[in-house]
Amino acid sequence: MNHNEHHECDHHHNQEEMEMQMDKYHLALSKYNTTLSDEEIQAETASILEKHLEENNTLEVKKFLFHCIDLTTLKCTDSEQSVMKFTQHVNEFVDAYPNLDNVAAICVYPNMAEIVNDTLEADNVNIACVSGGFPSSQTFTEVKVAETAMALHTGADEIDIVMQVGKFLSGEYEEVCDEIEELKEICGDKHLKVILETGALANATNIKKASILSMYSGADFIKTSTGKEKPAATPEAALVMCKAIKEYFLETGRKVGFKPAGGLNTVHDALVYYTIVKETLGKEWLSNEYFRLGTSRLANLLLSDIVGKEVKFF
């Protein structure tokens, strides 16, 4: 075999290797229907809500939704004092409303995990931290790893990261997936929630692909938005994500949670997402182990509806 033939052979081998690597992600995607029509998703969402929304407008559902809240403060003005006060409200809730289940988690920036951990006395309330260069995800993977590890070390039970949206839209699936895998490895048995920033993904096909790739890479939850970009959560994005979760579960047997966040401003909004989860994923997903709402505004509104008068508790 002369030198040129040798070279050809090597080149062919390298190409095969590259294709095999590329294929891992396209292969994962190929098991699912990822070519979706935005119009059809819109129509299906409208139909589900028209048929089922009203039946979920009950006291029991509102109590459940309150128990699914990730009570969130992510402001540049957050301070140790303000976060301590924020956490104390959750402690006080236990005595103020003994018959109601508390929020699911308190969600803060990573440098605030310790203060929440030191202040939180209420049982069964987790500490969630946004990490990994939140909200843009535009920093070095090494920084994301360090930030995530430090958040966990200082008390975080759950980590919310943002998928690398720019890389995803450029088709760089390997980089996107490798980073999620690496951060999940740091989390171990602590939950990793992956934010897709659905408003930036622009269409149902992208949302479906991003959902599948995030779950494939180890996400315990997929989440719509950071709340820092417009549009934030939409019912249509929720439907696509819930369909992806269901298909992924049927394919792998692994249950992944769903969290809408950003723009959840009214009790009606919460009922919309509840209805979509119930109708798409079924009762098995109706626990705060698999369903969360990222919001702070909604806590007082749901509470007011539950007790039947305006309450500004949080």
Side-chain angles (χ1 to χ4, degrees):
M1 196 189 282
N2 69 26
H3 180 71
N4 270 358
E5 281 175 347
H6 240 312
H7 190 69
E8 288 270 296
C9 191
D10 274 355
H11 179 70
H12 185 66
H13 184 64
N14 286 348
Q15 205 174 346
E16 270 184 3
E17 259 190 5
M18 269 178 69
E19 276 173 10
M20 270 171 68
Q21 270 203 314
M22 276 286 284
D23 272 4
K24 191 167 129 182
Y25 306 102
H26 290 92
L27 193 67
L29 289 173
S30 70
K31 296 177 179 170
Y32 305 91
N33 171 26
T34 55
T35 312
L36 303 182
S37 146
D38 291 334
E39 288 73 26
E40 281 172 24
I41 291 294
Q42 218 167 347
E44 193 179 340
T45 307
S47 163
I48 289 171
L49 296 175
E50 198 181 327
K51 281 189 197 134
H52 300 286
L53 181 65
E54 217 24 70
E55 73 200 40
N56 295 322
N57 189 0
T58 69
L59 189 61
E60 283 314 303
V61 169
K62 288 172 190 174
K63 285 179 183 176
F64 166 73
L65 287 167
F66 183 85
H67 188 42
C68 293
I69 288 177
D70 281 359
L71 195 69
T72 304
T73 182
L74 298 170
K75 301 195 285 278
C76 70
T77 51
D78 287 344
S79 65
E80 293 206 342
Q81 289 74 17
S82 73
V83 170
M84 189 188 281
K85 208 170 146 187
F86 190 74
T87 307
Q88 275 163 347
H89 289 311
V90 175
N91 293 340
E92 289 156 11
F93 182 83
V94 179
D95 290 331
Y97 296 95
N99 301 326
L100 293 178
D101 288 324
N102 215 327
V103 295
I106 295 176
C107 182
V108 292
Y109 279 116
N111 55 323
M112 295 295 173
E114 191 167 11
I115 197 85
V116 178
N117 198 26
D118 290 347
T119 310
L120 185 62
E121 290 161 8
D123 293 335
N124 304 321
V125 178
N126 280 353
I127 301 169
C129 284
V130 296
S131 180
F134 179 94
S136 66
S137 196
Q138 301 286 14
T139 187
F140 305 100
T141 299
E142 294 83 346
V143 172
K144 297 177 183 183
V145 165
E147 189 177 36
T148 300
M150 289 167 81
L152 291 163
H153 182 69
T154 50
D157 303 298
E158 305 174 0
I159 297 290
D160 293 35
I161 62 160
V162 184
M163 180 189 77
Q164 297 186 85
V165 179
K167 279 195 163 52
F168 170 82
L169 291 172
S170 310
E172 296 172 53
Y173 297 159
E174 188 174 357
E175 285 90 335
V176 171
C177 293
D178 280 355
E179 184 173 277
I180 294 171
E181 275 178 30
E182 193 171 346
L183 293 171
K184 175 56 192 165
E185 209 169 295
I186 304 286
C187 289
D189 57 1
K190 302 284 168 77
H191 274 174
L192 179 69
K193 305 195 196 94
V194 177
I195 303 165
L196 309 182
E197 201 62 277
T198 50
L201 295 178
N203 60 52
T205 293
N206 278 341
I207 293 169
K208 183 80 178 270
K209 285 181 179 172
S211 298
I212 299 293
L213 290 174
S214 297
M215 293 187 285
Y216 174 74
S217 306
D220 299 295
F221 259 80
I222 50 176
K223 174 175 165 183
T224 57
S225 332
T226 58
K228 307 291 183 192
E229 294 275 331
K230 301 275 179 276
T234 65
E236 290 76 17
L239 180 63
V240 174
M241 289 167 72
C242 288
K243 280 174 171 292
I245 289 169
K246 181 166 195 176
E247 287 174 35
Y248 184 79
F249 172 67
L250 293 173
E251 179 69 38
T252 66
R254 191 165 83 83
K255 282 166 82 172
V256 173
F258 170 66
K259 177 179 170 180
L264 273 64
N265 298 323
T266 62
V267 172
H268 178 266
D269 291 339
L271 293 171
V272 162
Y273 293 109
Y274 174 89
T275 303
I276 290 167
V277 169
K278 186 181 170 189
E279 293 306 318
T280 314
L281 290 165
K283 287 193 167 63
E284 272 188 66
W285 263 262
L286 296 178
S287 80
N288 73 7
E289 197 185 340
Y290 297 110
F291 182 45
R292 295 286 179 83
L293 300 162
T295 180
S296 55
R297 196 172 301 131
L298 209 52
N300 285 330
L301 295 173
L302 275 166
L303 199 51
S304 300
D305 260 27
I306 290 163
V307 300
K309 61 171 198 267
E310 197 186 349
V311 179
K312 286 201 163 67
F313 187 86
F314 292 98

